[in-house]
Amino acid sequence: MSRNEAEALGPEAIRALRGEQSRAAFARQLGVTPLTVYRWELPKAAAQARRPRGRVMEALRQLSEGGQPALHSLPRPSSSLFRQDVSREERARLSPCLTLLQRADWRTAEDTLLGLLTSGALRTPAARALAAGGLAYVYRWGFEDARRAFTVLLPHLDEAEAGTLPDAAAAHVHAMAANLFASPDGRIFDAGKVNVHVARAEALLGPHVFSSGEVRCHLRVAELAAAFYLGTPELIIRQYGRLEEALMGVADPTLRLLASDGVAHETAFRGEASLATRRFRETAQAAARVGYAFLEARNLGFLAQRRLDEACEPDEALGLVRRAREVAWSGQLPRGLSFVFAARAEADALMRLGRFAEAEAVLDQAEAVTEELRWTPHHLVGQRARLLYLTGRYADIRELAARISRYDGPVQQPLTRAYGCFAEALADWAEGHVQRAAEGYATAHARALEVGGWPYLRRDSLIGEVGTRAAAFQLPEARAALRRARSMLEQFPSAWHTALLHRQEGLLLVREGRWREAREKLEASLATFSLAGDQPEAALTRRTLALTARALGEAGTETSLAQSEEELRRYGVTPPLDFNADLPPAQEAPAPEATPRLGAESLVVPFERLAVRGMGAPLIQRELVAVLEGLFPGRAPRLEELDSQGRATPLLGEADVLANEWVEFGDGCGRRLRVGVAGPLPADGRALLSALARLTGFALEVAVLRGFAHAEPPLREPESAPEVPGFIAASPAMRKLKTELAGLSGSRATVIVTGESGSGKEVVARALHQLSARAERPYVAFNCAAVPRELFEGQLFGHRRGAYTGAATDHPGVIRAAHGGTLFLDEIGELPLEVQPKLLRFLENGEIFPLGETRPAHVDVRVIAATHRDLGQLVREGRFREDLYYRLQVVPVHVPPLRERREDIIALARHFVNQLSPEGREPPQLGPDALAALVAHSWPGNVRELRNVIERSLAFGSLPAVLGADKLRIIG
């Protein structure tokens, strides 16, 4: 192909040829990696742009002419001698090994598989390949030792490449190879080979391949891992949802845990911070229950980092890391990348406590592991650079920046060098070269965008750019960087990073001469750092506040400044250059007031403190009390929770001091709270207290919607949930659901239960009622789809006699009938649009207006709603109110369809046989053929269809001793 023809295949032409295909599919078609396709589609001037050539260019030419690329593949021998399948005896020997792998019994599985491979009992190449694949699985996923796994698998990978294995065995070997090439080890990692083995495995999969669903799930795990370790956000985004989709129908509990780990990382990368925290915690808990040390330790490390971002106390994070270390040690795990991430969280927590020597030792250990793995060191750059900055070792920051910028390793080289720019900018800032530092942060951000937009480097670079642009008096540029930084924190909420941005914004406001606003931002920053237990950053912020007060000419500032600098010296922090040194005093310092003012200005800092993104409910509550202590000194603020009878439970504050000024508010998930202070209050004090209570209610409601609302459960769950009559939970999914329902037993929060028709939503609702403190009170079910539209309001809210034609008597309505208990609103998606505002009012205020009444009635009811409809789609279509939708979504619970939890089928069938057999008669046993037929059926009608089948089968003829497949009346 000529040069002109090559130039014609530019980015637009490549995108046109790819069409609607994903980059991964297009890459497989051409025999290249998705990253290569991504680079072809970059603008020609981009540093990472590449142009196709050689064989691939010829393949693209054929595609552009309407043909198919002629890519060569290895010949596959057809001799049955070479492709002999696994014998029945070999399957019997391998089957217990599969059970051991599914139970995460790694040591026993290793011994058993090694014994099989060395005994000569496995005679066919396929059986030996499957055993070796199982042993590689043990080493990779049980012990985090990809190199040993690769050594075991390599001979059989050659057999799979040569085509001497049957399709089923070859597919398993290729899937294992894809996961090994996606391992975080620089000697092994190869995204191109991941794609090659994924493509070859998928080409071999079909209905004749056993465990094909599990193999596909392994392939999605490998693709997601490769995308993450490449550090290319666009490839990660391409994988969104694919792993969860592949997980449907997979019964292997170990594989489900591995996939859950991947889904948690995907969730974090989407910016769903609270959901990611919850998923890391749940995966660690589930791994602990089955003794899966590697995955428990790994997820505890990531959980520690997530909690630090949410401004938890450093000791909590250190406890999580300590637990991860203990688990790894007991499992005799080598130090891999999981150790590096746990060490990063540990160093972060230690720095927040001012324990810099310990933090540096931890980072040294982690860096040694990255060198051993030949892996990128960029995961540790932020913590290392911050430690050097706080301890005044600016020359070491510059040396770190130079070393990172020279990185020529095999993994994430462009992104790592972009982190070198970030460290260089920090060194410039520390040494007072603010203009050069500002350009350096901008360059780091630009390079992050060039390699796909790695969000964490972008966030850190933008926050740094705000401060350095302000320090360099580049105020319009600083404002632009501030807007971009705020946008990043909207996408990736972090309370700690928000506090850091508030401090940089305070510096910008100082430069703009807006002293009062600057102080408000700095006070908000100080409050968050203090709540997060970050002592050095809080001390730095106090010093900045003292400098600001000195510039304003306030009395006593020299003492405050001396105290803050003494505090910094105590922690071993070297104060950075005085950014106010070149500023003249403020032109108009505010005059001191004779009496305290509690007007609008006094709300600015509290609003900033209570509106920090990424803060959980416990922190918000503590912040409210701290704000009130500052506004009303000596008034002993208290926070209490109210039950349905108005009884108060103290949460925070001094319980022995009588408060006589109270304001009630809700938290958005059914809890009623009240905050009070000891009076009398100054002028406008009551209005200020009410405004802060209302703001706290909104902040808590946002925490609900983002998932930060509830206190974190313990890492170790109870061994078993309470028994609930009629609730059958044999599958992992339903056992997990049962545990979740038990955890909700003490809550009054509104619950929305979703799932297909017949899946058991009302059983879940009854279980919630029976497990709650309201179990002895009424449980009232109301089917929204079974009531005529014109009678709906009267049935739900009640009516007086004569309220409308046909209302011959008073009717309390189902809501009042459920007073003190639980109301189950089935098929809530059928609720008429004109009734929805009244239901919303009831959910918010606990008040109803029965038809014909002139005064509202207060009702204490816990509401559980259920639907098989997509309420989000109904909202988009205008058939369901958005505000009601969010009010119902406080605690969403999903009931999986029966086809996704086949372990429940036999348990449910036996339950229905016992329940539906005539009284006084011995229930029949289900024969083996009947059990096989039940498990094989797809059950489109879910549990309801299964119950009908059992009832129909027992209704015809005499009751047999054994109910066989011939007696089952399965329709369809």
Side-chain angles (χ1 to χ4, degrees), residues 14-61:
I14 297 292
R15 281 192 287 269
L17 284 174
R18 179 163 66 87
E20 296 297 321
Q21 292 186 83
S22 68
R23 286 202 182 101
F26 191 60
R28 286 195 292 270
Q29 190 177 5
L30 296 168
V32 298
T33 71
L35 180 61
T36 300
V37 177
Y38 167 72
R39 287 175 169 174
W40 289 344
E41 295 181 359
L42 287 173
K44 295 179 181 179
Q48 300 298 315
R50 299 289 186 272
R51 298 276 73 83
R53 57 187 178 183
R55 176 188 62 81
V56 176
M57 179 68 82
E58 180 62 26
L60 288 168
R61 185 187 63 77

Side-chain angles (χ1 to χ4, degrees), residues 706-727:
R706 284 186 177 256
F708 289 108
H710 302 292
E712 297 292 348
L715 282 173
R716 296 281 182 170
E717 294 178 353
E719 291 298 320
S720 60
E723 288 302 316
V724 182
F727 193 98

